[in-house]
């Protein structure tokens, strides 16, 4: 691909802005009212929200803005990630139907994973529908005893002729109650070290034996689910990648996840909403409030400058590498900083509804900790940064080279 110039990006953004203006209403300068990190909606309302987002994804895709950085032969526009960022920046100027974890997982994580590892039939069946929003897919990765140590998962898949029989439990599967598909990671060989005995599958969520149970979060919603798998039969034609190569599939999906984490500046609250509420409450004269508002403003500006630095690096031909973990960690810490600022600005209003609209900050405060775990915990990100970015020695592991079945539990 030829080098991208700032002028070309500006022209592209102008064309995108013209198209968006024909489809949507400009957002305006007023701060967004919602500061929630996760949805807290009744089932039917959340399903309706997903429907609106899916319609918007379809319209974007059909106009050439749905898979901007994908190759043309794979159904994309054949442009760069910089064009994708330019479109996203312009899109933030307009009122879109909203966001949902499940649509982000489907388009940004699972679609590219299927494109990378899928058979021609699997790609034909799923990639375009996922990118258009016609199909929705969740991750079936984490388990009650395999979160940060994901490679230690215990859900078993045993081959039976042309099928695999799966038994186990998954948890923290965002949007699983609405998903038609799941990217499932199972243990197929317990006699080899944990990373080598995994295999990935594409699971239709309406398969007999799949039981999805939403989990009520402390922020009020039920974005996450636990999924029980009881003698679930999956045809070998839905195996994603080679037998025993599931860890490579997993790492690819997690890489896409970390690469996209922090890119959305609209998730949760931020300086604009905090400053607006501080003014309405007459708190802007308090030196502690002014200090914490300055901290949030600074953090947001540093994040924007970091994104610009990454952008210029890629204009020069650089690759992101482990920088995705750095950005994801910084994003999680920024959400935490906003929570601390909200507590200082609001005081008792954070825990008692005063009827003035400020109680909505509880949705941010209680939801933000979830992103210190989602996409790899803060501790995992720090390990990646230490080993792959700073070149520090790898952490010692007692289970290195040990068969999974022999690891104490």
């Amino acid at each position: 691909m030829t080098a991208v110039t700032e002028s070309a990006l500006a022209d592209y953004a102008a064309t995108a802005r013209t198209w968006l203006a024909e489809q949507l209403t400009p957002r305006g300068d007023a701060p967004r009212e919602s500061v929630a990190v996760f949805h807290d909606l009744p089932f039917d309302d959340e399903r309706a929200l997903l429907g609106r987002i899916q319609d918007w994804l379809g319209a974007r895709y059909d106009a050439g803005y749905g898979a901007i950085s994908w190759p043309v032969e794979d159904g994309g526009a054949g442009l760069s990630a910089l064009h994708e960022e330019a479109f996203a920046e312009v899109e933030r100027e307009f009122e879109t139907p909203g966001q949902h974890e499940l649509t982000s997982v489907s388009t940004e994580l699972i679609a590219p994973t299927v494109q990378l590892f899928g058979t021609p039939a699997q790609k034909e069946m799923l990639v375009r529908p996922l990118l258009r929003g016609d199909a929705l897919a969740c991750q079936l990765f984490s388990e009650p005893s395999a979160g940060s140590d994901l490679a230690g998962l215990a859900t078993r898949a045993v081959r039976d002729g042309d099928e695999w029989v799966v038994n186990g439990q998954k948890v923290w599967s965002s949007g699983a109650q609405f998903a038609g598909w799941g990217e499932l990671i199972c243990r197929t060989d317990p006699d080899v070290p944990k990373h080598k005995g995994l295999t990935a599958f594409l699971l239709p969520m309406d398969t007999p034996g799949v039981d999805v149970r939403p989990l009520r979060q402390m922020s009020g919603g039920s974005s996450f689910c636990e999924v029980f798998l009881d003698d679930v039969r999956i045809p070998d034609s839905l195996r994603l990648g080679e037998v025993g190569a599931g860890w490579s599939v997993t790492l690819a999906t997690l890489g896409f996840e970390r690469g996209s984490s922090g890119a959305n500046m609209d998730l949760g609250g931020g300086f604009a909403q905090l400053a607006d509420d501080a003014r309405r409450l007459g708190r802007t004269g308090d030196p502690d409030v002014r200090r914490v508002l300055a901290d949030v403003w600074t953090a947001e500006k540093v994040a924007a400058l970091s994104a610009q630095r990454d952008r210029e690096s890629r204009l020069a031909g650089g690759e992101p590498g482990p920088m995705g973990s750095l950005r994801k960690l910084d994003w999680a810490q920024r959400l935490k900083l906003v929570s601390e600022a909200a507590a200082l600005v609001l005081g008792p209003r954070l825990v008692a509804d005063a009827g003035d609209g400020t109680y909505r900050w509880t949705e941010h405060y209680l939801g933000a900790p979830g992103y210190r775990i989602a996409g790899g915990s803060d501790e995992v990100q720090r390990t990646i940064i230490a080993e792959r970015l700073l070149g520090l020695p790898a952490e010692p592991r007692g289970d290195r080279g040990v068969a999974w079945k022999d690891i104490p539990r």
Side-chain angles (χ1 to χ4, degrees):
M1 182 180 294
T2 58
V4 182
T5 66
E6 290 285 359
S7 175
L9 286 176
D11 291 343
Y12 180 79
T15 301
R17 185 176 288 108
T18 299
W19 181 80
L20 286 163
E22 296 171 352
Q23 314 298 320
L24 302 170
T25 303
R27 176 173 288 181
D29 297 328
R32 288 178 294 105
E33 181 63 24
S34 174
V35 296
V37 175
F38 295 105
H39 294 292
D40 181 8
L41 296 171
F43 182 91
D44 289 342
D45 290 351
E46 191 166 1
R47 175 66 267 184
L49 171 63
L50 270 168
R52 293 191 296 272
I53 298 173
Q54 288 177 272
D55 290 343
W56 175 235
L57 290 175
R60 274 195 342 194
Y61 184 89
D62 293 344
Y65 296 115
I68 295 169
S69 62
W70 284 54
V72 174
E73 59 269 24
D74 295 336
L79 300 174
S80 70
L82 296 170
H83 288 87
E84 204 160 51
E85 290 178 8
F87 179 83
E89 185 174 343
V90 174
E91 189 183 35
R92 282 194 285 270
E93 300 173 9
F94 297 86
E95 294 287 350
T96 65
Q99 305 171 75
H100 196 280
E101 298 93 336
L102 183 57
T103 52
S104 298
V105 168
S106 300
T107 59
E108 298 174 21
L109 278 60
I110 298 183
T113 301
V114 175
Q115 182 61 38
L116 190 60
F117 293 95
T119 64
Q122 290 169 353
K123 296 177 186 179
E124 177 69 22
M125 176 177 62
L126 274 179
V127 172
R128 185 175 184 274
L130 286 170
L131 292 174
R132 279 198 85 251
D134 298 328
L136 297 173
C138 64
Q139 288 172 271
L140 299 172
F141 283 24
S142 295
E143 299 180 8
S145 297
S148 295
D149 182 23
L150 181 58
L153 61 84
T155 293
R156 288 294 308 278
V158 178
R159 187 146 194 175
D160 182 19
D162 291 333
E163 294 183 319
W164 295 81
V165 181
V166 179
N167 286 279
Q169 178 188 357
K170 297 294 181 176
V171 74
W172 314 131
S173 297
S174 298
Q177 70 270 51
F178 301 108
W181 291 85
E183 181 187 338
L184 172 66
I185 311 299
C186 298
R187 185 160 305 283
T188 50
D189 188 352
D191 297 320
V192 297
K194 60 185 182 181
H195 294 86
K196 297 182 178 180
L198 304 176
T199 302
F201 299 90
L202 295 168
L203 172 66
M205 295 298 287
D206 59 358
T207 302
V210 177
D211 181 14
V212 179
R213 303 179 190 177
L215 294 168
R216 183 65 59 185
Q217 298 156 223
M218 65 180 180
S219 56
S222 54
S223 298
F224 300 139
C225 299
E226 55 184 346
V227 180
F228 294 87
L229 304 144
D230 184 13
D231 286 337
V232 174
R233 288 186 169 269
I234 305 174
D236 188 59
S237 61
L238 291 180
R239 172 170 43 84
L240 186 60
E242 299 299 323
V243 175
W247 189 241
S248 295
V249 178
T250 302
L251 288 181
T253 304
L254 294 177
F256 293 131
E257 184 172 20
R258 287 162 188 160
S260 64
S261 292
N264 182 7
M265 298 291 288
D266 287 343
L267 183 65
F271 174 80
Q273 294 96 332
L274 283 169
D276 187 59
D277 282 336
R279 283 190 290 268
R280 290 195 296 111
L281 296 173
R283 299 276 286 148
T284 53
D286 186 308
D288 288 331
V289 170
R290 295 173 69 87
R291 173 185 55 77
V292 77
L293 288 176
D295 288 343
V296 173
W297 184 89
T298 301
E300 290 184 359
K301 293 301 180 183
V302 168
L305 289 172
S306 296
Q308 176 67 15
R309 182 184 62 185
D310 292 347
R311 181 171 176 270
E312 291 176 355
S313 173
R314 280 178 289 152
L315 275 170
E319 294 292 334
M323 290 300 294
S325 289
L326 193 64
R327 290 180 66 176
K328 195 272 179 183
L329 179 63
D330 176 68
W331 181 49
Q333 295 300 308
R334 197 164 65 249
L335 288 172
K336 180 174 180 286
L337 174 62
V338 171
S339 293
E340 294 169 349
L344 182 62
V345 170
L346 303 182
R349 285 178 168 82
L350 185 64
V351 295
D353 192 349
D356 56 7
T358 55
Y359 187 65
R360 74 192 191 286
W361 279 100
T362 59
E363 293 183 296
H364 180 106
Y365 194 94
L366 296 176
Y371 276 97
R372 298 182 63 189
I373 302 171
S377 67
D378 286 1
E379 292 77 13
V380 168
Q381 307 308 328
R382 289 190 174 97
T383 298
I384 292 172
I385 293 165
E387 295 178 4
R388 302 180 194 175
L389 190 62
L390 302 180
L392 298 179
E395 287 191 347
R397 289 212 332 255
D399 59 6
R400 188 183 299 277
V402 178
W404 177 83
K405 65 181 178 58
D406 296 328
I407 298 173
R409 291 174 184 78

